[in-house]
Amino acid sequence: MLMSEKSKQHADACRFCWMCHHICPIGNASGHERSTPRARALGISLVNRGAIELEEIMDNIYECVGCGACVHDCVTGWDPVMFTKETRLLAALDGKLPDYISKLVENCLNTGNAYGKTEIDSELCDAVKAHSEKTDTLLLLGADARYMVPNQAVKAIRVLEKAGVKFTVLADEPATGAQLDFLIGAANETKEQMLACAKVMSEYKAVVIYDPQDAKAIKQTYKAYGVEYSAEALTYTSFVAKLLKDGKLEAKHSDKGVTLQDPCQLSRDLDESEDAREIVMSYAVLGEMLLNRKETVWAGNILTAQYMPEIIKKVSERRIFNAKSVGADTIVTASVSEYAALRAVATDVEIISIEDLILG
Ligand code: SF4
Ligand code: SF4
């Protein structure tokens, strides 16, 4: 495998280190040592030394969900996400992707989303049509909301309507490239999707990004890949927090006690953990989970549940256990994908989104 010297160096540094293995949500859910950052590094270093074949570690390579908990925890600055993403890219270039990943990649290339969906739900379709007129502000819903959780996409639109914002939603929204980036890293196909999205974004003054995974890609990865756009890119939570601050949304505070699930892309990658809190505290009483803000624990998503559903269920159940441990019976989410993952397993805990809080 023709891995860069930088990734080789990081994998070799991690391969016998145990310091962060307890914080990996996948390792903790599976209970398997092989799911941890150091075991993934060991596998990669064995491939780099010609001791085993790349195909032998590919399932393990896709167990990493890129939550960045290990990277954040590493006091010596090594980066398991970097060498994992590079291994995915090299496997893609070498035709060694597992079949279940090739299918998702094919869907991204054919339909712009990993799920292969081409139609959106009728209620969402009507809500989108009502905002087809060109304005200065684009609301980018993202693949998960549009195709997998359309009721949340409608709520995201309703919140901005409630605040009197003039905005556009596109019927043929471009793929942001975030899903391809997760699946095959910095491939040409990923960059092409990102460039096409950046071109559309540049037709607007501001772009409000609903899905934190897309926000991370647009605000961070585009820059790393040299993809430029002229619009101001804003996360949905920062935009809504400002609407509240400016009095465009009138909050009705209640005594309802809730806890917040920090999306790792907002709190860890983009350093935006307070906007979601300000929104929640305007409507309810916030109690913090033990691991919050930058220390948040990823609570599952829709994309990885396509190929490891049982592990993702356990990940979500474990995060609900964290919430119950501080006496919370309601978890507020700021990520549409975590909303779906947590709701899929919640039994005695209520899962609501920040849109639910605002719309009442
Ligand atoms: S990321 Fe840091 S703490 Fe984690 S295994 Fe690598 S060297 Fe150890
Ligand atoms: S990025 Fe997250 S899922 Fe991947 S190895 Fe690190 S802690 Fe585990």
Side-chain angles (χ1 to χ4, degrees):
M1 178 165 70
L2 279 174
M3 181 166 257
S4 67
E5 286 307 316
K6 189 175 176 189
S7 281
K8 271 188 201 167
Q9 186 193 17
H10 281 240
D12 282 351
C14 290
R15 70 195 160 132
F16 297 129
C17 171
W18 288 77
M19 295 304 284
C20 69
H21 87 300
H22 62 290
I23 57 156
C24 176
I26 301 299
N28 285 338
S30 75
H32 295 147
E33 184 58 32
R34 70 164 227 168
S35 315
T36 62
R38 73 136 209 136
R40 197 165 295 109
L42 185 56
I44 290 170
S45 72
L46 287 171
V47 173
N48 284 336
R49 285 165 173 76
I52 57 172
E53 296 298 323
L54 178 58
E55 289 93 323
E56 293 178 58
I57 64 164
M58 284 315 296
D59 289 342
N60 177 244
I61 290 299
Y62 280 97
E63 283 176 356
C64 173
V65 295
C67 73
C70 51
V71 184
H72 173 67
D73 195 61
C74 184
V75 290
T76 39
W78 304 110
D79 187 344
V81 175
M82 178 187 66
F83 58 69
T84 302
K85 278 182 74 177
E86 189 174 323
T87 307
R88 290 175 186 179
L89 171 63
L90 295 172
L93 294 174
D94 213 9
K96 288 181 177 162
L97 294 179
D99 289 347
Y100 55 88
I101 296 296
S102 294
K103 181 70 198 150
L104 297 173
V105 172
E106 212 176 287
N107 286 342
C108 285
L109 298 175
N110 293 336
T111 64
N113 67 88
Y115 319 111
K117 305 267 186 189
T118 51
E119 304 278 331
I120 60 171
D121 156 273
S122 60
E123 193 194 353
L124 175 58
C125 199
D126 290 343
V128 169
K129 263 187 207 151
H131 295 278
S132 57
E133 203 178 303
K134 176 89 165 56
T135 64
D136 287 345
T137 304
L138 175 67
L139 172 64
L140 202 61
L141 292 169
D144 281 359
R146 278 169 68 89
Y147 297 109
M148 305 303 272
V149 204
N151 64 328
Q152 282 303 114
V154 171
K155 288 178 200 168
I157 290 172
R158 299 285 178 247
V159 167
L160 299 198
E161 286 173 345
K162 190 172 179 169
V165 179
K166 286 197 182 341
F167 63 101
T168 304
V169 189
L170 298 172
D172 55 348
E173 190 175 279
T176 61
Q179 289 188 327
L180 268 187
D181 188 51
F182 175 78
L183 294 167
I184 53 173
N188 287 339
E189 292 85 346
T190 307
K191 291 176 189 167
E192 276 163 22
Q193 277 196 350
M194 290 178 169
L195 283 165
C197 183
K199 194 171 170 210
V200 172
M201 285 178 63
S202 296
E203 293 168 21
Y204 296 84
K205 279 191 183 150
V207 177
V208 180
I209 311 159
Y210 181 53
D211 189 323
Q213 187 68 34
D214 289 323
K216 176 191 172 180
I218 290 169
K219 287 171 74 72
Q220 211 171 55
T221 318
Y222 279 28
K223 203 173 174 191
Y225 294 173
V227 175
E228 292 178 359
Y229 52 84
S230 59
E232 185 185 9
L234 301 154
T235 60
Y236 186 79
T237 33
S238 70
F239 190 73
V240 170
K242 179 139 191 340
L243 292 174
L244 272 166
K245 222 174 272 169
D246 293 347
K248 305 264 171 59
L249 278 172
E250 252 180 69
K252 278 195 198 123
H253 194 271
S254 77
D255 292 338
K256 187 177 176 66
V258 303
T259 193
L260 173 68
Q261 166 58 20
D262 282 291
C264 58
Q265 301 91 348
L266 296 185
S267 60
R268 208 147 42 219
D269 298 311
L270 299 177
D271 205 10
E272 279 191 23
S273 54
E274 300 315 301
D275 292 324
R277 269 176 184 74
E278 277 166 27
I279 298 168
V280 171
M281 288 189 295
S282 299
Y283 292 88
V285 178
L286 176 65
E288 294 286 0
M289 270 194 270
L290 206 53
L291 294 162
N292 61 62
R293 296 181 170 87
K294 280 187 184 294
E295 272 69 45
T296 189
V297 180
W298 183 82
N301 75 6
I302 301 171
L303 180 54
T304 54
Q306 304 302 301
Y307 62 90
M308 47 176 178
E310 292 309 314
I311 295 291
I312 300 307
K313 267 188 205 162
K314 282 190 190 154
V315 166
S316 305
E317 283 165 357
R318 287 178 65 90
R319 195 53 173 154
I320 287 175
F321 177 80
N322 289 163
K324 282 163 65 177
S325 303
V326 294
D329 55 16
T330 303
I331 303 175
V332 181
T333 60
S335 150
V336 64
S337 209
E338 285 186 320
Y339 172 85
L342 290 168
R343 274 183 86 98
V345 298
T347 48
D348 49 356
V349 170
E350 191 186 11
I351 310 295
I352 60 173
S353 62
I354 56 167
E355 298 80 63
D356 290 323
L357 266 185
I358 295 168
L359 296 171

